[in-house]
Amino acid sequence: MALKILKSCINCDMCEPECPNKAISLGDKIYEIDPDLCTECVGFYDKPTCISVCPIDCIITDPERIEDKESLYQKFEQLVQDDKI
Ligand code: SF4
Ligand code: SF4
């Protein structure tokens, strides 16, 4: 699954520098996750690092973007191949 940041985000800037895929950026009002870049940290860490650092737990798995570990790993490999991460 790609992850999603909820509207309750307080723009604390904690998650953006921690994302190994550079999938997090500041949107119009709050931080956003690019689902095409988010591998749920598969390829780098055992669990999503953005969730670990968010002080108010406003990052969730996006129910509209369900992907299994294998798909996430394939996405990771493709991103490496395309020189995006
Ligand atoms: S789960 Fe990992 S790859 Fe996805 S946005 Fe969070 S830190 Fe980035
Ligand atoms: S760590 Fe949480 S509250 Fe802080 S900017 Fe990221 S999503 Fe928003």
Side-chain angles (χ1 to χ4, degrees):
M1 290 158 270
L3 303 189
K4 178 180 179 178
I5 295 175
L6 299 175
K7 286 180 186 155
S8 50
C9 168
I10 55 170
N11 294 339
C12 73
D13 308 321
M14 291 288 285
C15 57
E16 188 266 339
E18 299 297 331
C19 177
N21 292 15
K22 297 185 172 56
I24 304 176
S25 60
L26 186 58
D28 284 344
K29 291 185 178 156
I30 56 168
Y31 276 89
E32 296 172 349
I33 293 175
D34 181 341
D36 293 331
L37 291 176
C38 177
T39 59
E40 239 187 277
C41 284
V42 167
F44 287 100
Y45 307 125
D46 289 340
K47 53 185 182 178
T49 192
C50 56
I51 289 181
S52 303
V53 300
C54 180
I56 61 161
D57 298 329
C58 70
I59 306 175
I60 62 162
T61 50
D62 187 343
E64 289 176 18
R65 291 184 181 272
I66 305 295
E67 294 165 279
D68 61 20
K69 284 261 182 208
E70 197 175 316
S71 310
L72 289 166
Y73 195 75
Q74 281 170 6
K75 193 200 280 190
F76 165 74
E77 289 191 314
Q78 190 64 53
L79 289 168
V80 170
Q81 198 174 316
D82 295 343
D83 219 10
K84 291 191 173 160
I85 57 175

